[in-house]
Amino acid sequence: MSNRSVETEALLEHASWMRNLALSMVGDAERAEDLTQETWIRALEHPPSLDGPVRGWLATVMQNLFRQERRGRVRGADRESQVAGEEASQGRSSSELLARVSMQRELVELVLALDEPYRKVVLLRFFEELSPKRIAEQEGLPIATVKTQLSRGLERLRERLDSARDGDGRAWLTALVPLLRQPAGLASSNVLPLVPLGALLMNAKVVVTVLILSAIGTGYLVSLPEVDEVKAEKLEVAQPGETEELQTPDSTETPLIDSDRSTSAREEVDVQSPIQSEIEPPTSAGAAAVMVSGRVVNLNGLPIGGLSIASSNSISTRGTRSLATSAEDGAFQCLLANASRLWVIDDHFTTVMAGVPDSGATEKEILVVVAPLIELAGRVIDEYGNLVGGARVELKAPHQLRRDIGWGLDFSQEVRFVTESGVDGHFEFPNAPGFVGGVLRATADGYVPYEEAAPEVSSSTNQLVMVRPTLSGNLLTGQVIDELGVVVPNAYVSMGVDTTRTDAAGGFVFDLADPKSSNRIFAEFPGEFSADKLIAIKPGFLPGEQSARGIDEDGRPIWPDHVVLRIGGEPLAISGRVVDTTGSPLAGMRVWIEDPTFFGGLREEGKPYTNMSHVETMLIGHDPSWSFVETSGDGEFRLEGLLDRNYAVGVMDPKSLTRAREESVQAGRSGVEIELSYEETWETVRGLVVDGRGTPVAGASVRVTTDAFRTIVGKVVQTQHASGSETTTDADGQFELSVVPKEYAYFRVDHPDSIPLELGRSEQALRGIVGEDYDEFTLVISRRCHFKIELSSSDEADSFQMLDAEGAPLSLSEFRGNGRRDGFRFEILGGQTNVFAVSDTAVELVLYLEGAEVRREPVDLVPGEQTTLR
């Protein structure tokens, strides 16, 4: 096959991406399809060179076509070409029509000439539009067999098409051009024209020819309306910089959000289209297998027997073997040699909370929570019936789910069921649970979020109707333009913590009365916070900003009727190198801006917000709030995406956590030299971990941690950690850590039976804590006690806290697999709470109603047991 043929096929690999890009530009499925088709035509007629990135080239072509359309050039040209086309069509040469008909006829004949079972599976997939999963169910075959047959059938079509054109694959790929062009006078539609070739093609809802050619040309199946089993699942493990859930307003001594860059301590299980994670085998070579115990329960905490258990990193357990079967009381035991999660394998149940084995808690019971498996599908439309593609659809569990289960869920991780609507508005969940009280929620840029009660039984005709926000006195509207006055689509815009994105015309809207606004949440926290500035960002350009005109008598910002934010100019940079005290360059050091400009919270369904982001990281296209670079072999670094101001630059050795800081560095400077000294460290710290009774604790994780980066919105609201030296206590509770910095660090101690200890975190220094005892230092941890509250009357109290013998509030933790929710006061809903953990030093429960103390009750909690306080 020629190089040019390879180039043409490579274009088709970006099919799904192009559709989504077009949809984000125009906001309308029909117009997006037209724009995608026109881009395909340009690409196939004049393919890009191999020298540059294909996606960048395609995006440029599409953006130019979009701008031409907006300025009226395309509209005028279309009118002229339509008139000319109508005139020419009467006496037009039949060559173009003949080429179109011949290509379709040839392809259909080749499909019909395929041997079985390839012919049938191709017809079912492309002409009947069945997903591989549906074909497998209908034919009684494993889904893997169906996909193999599809792949081989398409390969045979490819070979025969190549053979018919003397091995020139480009000859039939360029046949896409006449198939993509619509005949004059044909209304814009999601259905492209097909010359009638019998009922087989007359009833097709998509351009079968183009789909099959695309599938052949790229070696994989392009998206059809169905979201099949392969594409609809994703295990999303938190990467460095991802965040934990929002804590309660009473949590005043710890950040609102915690992240851990060095460990997977804030992981989420996310079933999301369209990426499929790799499945780890149940055991790994060389790993020491351990026996774990668990129990399978339903949404009411009742045991479920007879369900097979598998170990996998995905809710899909295809290809994995059963490790155990739950007994009548739901109990099971299995041998594990990796850290994969535990799921059920069953045709009638799906996993709602996966078991998360902990190497230090093999004797703890791991709960796997299941719900009835249902089919859940539908489509997303707007208020006029137009299809809405690219909408994020989430099946949300009932708010009281953990309370209803009634068990401690320290080693269970919630599964989030998320998918996205296709260009045709269709969505599907392949492993949906039947929730009682669940919510089906859809969000899309430019639309008001939509929610409805989720079906409790199988339903494939759900229709989610998105509406545009209506203009009112509570709406702040505006537009983002560039230096030349051209509108900027898909720009990020923030107002305080709230963020949105501009539509195809560069417009944006903020609902100032939105009850779910993050600005409302942050206004309740102590500290200075004001949503009185608008910031617009597009990577590669300096941001546009505008402040409110003033504050009204109610303390709300005053805005113009319509705001125009102009972006433009090139961001600045700081460059230099990192050296040690002898002037020798240091490679692999992390360098970052310690005081970036706050932008806003990037929204994610299922949370009040996800990462707190900053202008500088957004300007270079990075979403995480902590963005760093690493020094090269000669110690050099370059920080980009900066505004015209002074910055504090931080440096850290990621192995030892040794840090340095350079104050007031003007953006645009080069040749900055930052010295990192290793003198302020202990080579070794040895010690003992004990509980409150002085008993040594074996198997405790001890590590040196630093709060490397903090986001401040009136107060510290988000923190990213980095960890250095780490070890586990031996049978006598002893530990030894090497290279421990005396500044910018603290000790973190974790054990399945204890409340996490963060000694020295508030000081961010170990110098005064360890002192001269670095050879025999003692760490005291508190044992973990579980409890839940059940009140006799739901209006008796609405929140609570725990006190120790000194009357001091104790931190409460709701452990969630690899994460936890912390605070000093939590809500009581309907007279009940979830299961919480608290230190064994707790002696008193305090109940509150509408902020006022109701009464106090003594408590007697036992470590390792769950107590119900009535």
Side-chain angles (χ1 to χ4, degrees), residues 688-756:
L688 182 67
V689 175
V690 299
D691 63 15
R693 300 174 182 176
T695 304
V697 178
S701 168
V702 184
R703 69 178 186 266
V704 182
T705 303
T706 183
D707 289 350
F709 183 83
R710 291 175 169 177
T711 299
I712 299 176
V713 186
K715 63 172 291 183
V716 176
V717 298
Q718 180 171 295
T719 302
Q720 274 75 36
H721 310 304
S723 294
S725 180
E726 183 173 0
T727 189
T728 301
T729 57
D730 62 19
D732 298 321
Q734 296 181 339
F735 69 90
E736 180 177 311
L737 296 170
S738 59
V739 191
V740 178
K742 298 179 181 179
E743 302 290 339
Y744 297 108
Y746 57 93
F747 289 128
R748 166 83 183 217
V749 185
D750 290 279
H751 188 273
D753 288 332
S754 75
I755 299 295

Side-chain angles (χ1 to χ4, degrees), residues 483-532:
E483 291 178 300
L484 301 178
V486 179
V487 298
V488 182
N490 291 322
Y492 288 91
V493 184
S494 70
M495 179 184 64
V497 182
D498 288 340
T499 61
T500 188
R501 299 187 75 170
T502 57
D503 59 21
F508 64 87
V509 178
F510 283 104
D511 185 354
L512 303 179
D514 181 6
K516 295 185 178 181
S517 165
S518 294
N519 290 333
R520 288 177 174 264
I521 297 174
F522 275 81
E524 299 175 1
F525 289 102
E528 299 179 4
F529 170 74
S530 178
D532 59 356

Side-chain angles (χ1 to χ4, degrees), residues 447-570:
Y447 292 90
V448 176
Y450 175 86
E451 286 189 0
E452 67 176 35
E456 299 174 18
V457 296
S458 293
S459 173
S460 59
T461 58
N462 298 278
Q463 194 157 277
L464 311 184
V465 183
M466 310 289 291
V467 299
R468 299 280 186 180
T470 56
L471 294 177
S472 71
N474 291 324
L475 294 184
L476 169 60
T477 65
Q479 190 175 42
V480 178
I481 61 175
D482 63 18
E483 291 178 300
L484 301 178
V486 179
V487 298
V488 182
N490 291 322
Y492 288 91
V493 184
S494 70
M495 179 184 64
V497 182
D498 288 340
T499 61
T500 188
R501 299 187 75 170
T502 57
D503 59 21
F508 64 87
V509 178
F510 283 104
D511 185 354
L512 303 179
D514 181 6
K516 295 185 178 181
S517 165
S518 294
N519 290 333
R520 288 177 174 264
I521 297 174
F522 275 81
E524 299 175 1
F525 289 102
E528 299 179 4
F529 170 74
S530 178
D532 59 356
K533 179 184 286 188
L534 289 166
I535 305 175
I537 286 181
K538 187 82 170 182
F541 299 90
L542 287 173
E545 298 183 7
Q546 181 165 327
S547 297
R549 291 176 174 176
I551 303 295
D552 65 15
E553 58 185 14
D554 296 322
R556 297 175 300 187
I558 302 173
W559 297 101
D561 292 336
H562 188 76
V563 179
V564 177
L565 301 175
R566 186 185 297 270
I567 66 173
E570 188 174 345

Side-chain angles (χ1 to χ4, degrees), residues 79-97:
R79 284 196 297 268
E80 294 175 7
S81 63
Q82 182 175 345
V83 172
E86 290 172 350
E87 294 173 350
S89 64
Q90 303 302 321
R92 176 189 295 169
S93 167
S94 63
S95 59
E96 182 179 341
L97 291 176

Side-chain angles (χ1 to χ4, degrees), residues 487-797:
V487 298
V488 182
N490 291 322
Y492 288 91
V493 184
S494 70
M495 179 184 64
V497 182
D498 288 340
T499 61
T500 188
R501 299 187 75 170
T502 57
D503 59 21
F508 64 87
V509 178
F510 283 104
D511 185 354
L512 303 179
D514 181 6
K516 295 185 178 181
S517 165
S518 294
N519 290 333
R520 288 177 174 264
I521 297 174
F522 275 81
E524 299 175 1
F525 289 102
E528 299 179 4
F529 170 74
S530 178
D532 59 356
K533 179 184 286 188
L534 289 166
I535 305 175
I537 286 181
K538 187 82 170 182
F541 299 90
L542 287 173
E545 298 183 7
Q546 181 165 327
S547 297
R549 291 176 174 176
I551 303 295
D552 65 15
E553 58 185 14
D554 296 322
R556 297 175 300 187
I558 302 173
W559 297 101
D561 292 336
H562 188 76
V563 179
V564 177
L565 301 175
R566 186 185 297 270
I567 66 173
E570 188 174 345
L572 303 176
I574 293 174
S575 61
R577 67 178 192 143
V578 178
V579 299
D580 62 17
T581 53
T582 68
S584 299
L586 295 173
M589 302 296 106
R590 292 181 182 176
V591 186
W592 70 95
I593 297 297
E594 290 202 343
D595 56 347
T597 309
F598 178 72
F599 176 69
L602 298 183
R603 284 269 186 162
E604 180 179 341
E605 290 306 307
K607 295 184 181 181
Y609 48 81
T610 181
N611 280 326
M612 287 294 167
S613 58
H614 297 85
V615 169
E616 290 78 6
T617 55
M618 298 286 287
L619 289 180
I620 57 177
H622 288 182
D623 288 345
S625 53
W626 182 30
S627 177
F628 57 79
V629 299
E630 292 192 352
T631 57
S632 61
D634 54 5
E636 293 187 348
F637 68 87
R638 180 179 176 83
L639 298 168
E640 299 182 328
L642 307 182
L643 308 181
D644 187 11
R645 70 172 180 87
N646 290 337
Y647 288 97
V649 180
V651 175
M652 182 179 70
D653 181 339
K655 295 180 180 179
S656 68
L657 303 189
T658 306
R659 292 173 60 176
R661 177 184 172 107
E662 187 76 13
E663 301 283 357
S664 193
V665 181
Q666 174 63 41
R669 274 188 59 188
S670 59
V672 177
E673 189 168 280
I674 304 177
E675 182 180 287
L676 189 63
S677 172
Y678 290 88
E679 295 178 357
E680 294 300 310
T681 62
W682 290 290
E683 289 188 8
T684 304
V685 172
R686 300 182 182 88
L688 182 67
V689 175
V690 299
D691 63 15
R693 300 174 182 176
T695 304
V697 178
S701 168
V702 184
R703 69 178 186 266
V704 182
T705 303
T706 183
D707 289 350
F709 183 83
R710 291 175 169 177
T711 299
I712 299 176
V713 186
K715 63 172 291 183
V716 176
V717 298
Q718 180 171 295
T719 302
Q720 274 75 36
H721 310 304
S723 294
S725 180
E726 183 173 0
T727 189
T728 301
T729 57
D730 62 19
D732 298 321
Q734 296 181 339
F735 69 90
E736 180 177 311
L737 296 170
S738 59
V739 191
V740 178
K742 298 179 181 179
E743 302 290 339
Y744 297 108
Y746 57 93
F747 289 128
R748 166 83 183 217
V749 185
D750 290 279
H751 188 273
D753 288 332
S754 75
I755 299 295
L757 171 67
E758 295 176 331
L759 184 63
R761 184 175 185 183
S762 58
E763 297 87 355
Q764 283 288 295
L766 293 174
R767 183 192 304 275
I769 295 175
V770 177
E772 299 300 321
D773 297 330
Y774 57 87
D775 261 345
E776 47 181 0
F777 189 70
T778 300
L779 293 166
V780 182
I781 62 175
S782 299
R783 292 290 184 178
R784 188 184 304 185
C785 297
H786 291 87
F787 69 93
K788 64 178 180 179
I789 298 172
E790 294 181 359
L791 301 179
S792 57
S793 173
S794 60
D795 57 3
E796 184 178 355

Side-chain angles (χ1 to χ4, degrees), residues 220-271:
Y220 65 89
L221 307 182
V222 295
S223 298
L224 286 176
E226 295 82 12
V227 181
D228 64 43
E229 193 171 10
V230 173
K231 295 182 178 180
E233 301 150 19
K234 175 184 177 184
L235 171 69
E236 189 172 87
V237 179
Q239 298 300 315
E242 292 192 2
T243 62
E244 190 180 0
E245 295 188 31
L246 180 69
Q247 296 178 7
T248 60
D250 303 272
S251 179
T252 57
E253 296 183 10
T254 58
L256 301 182
I257 307 172
D258 263 355
S259 296
D260 198 325
R261 295 198 63 100
S262 59
T263 69
S264 300
R266 303 296 188 271
E267 294 181 286
E268 286 184 333
V269 180
D270 197 352
V271 179

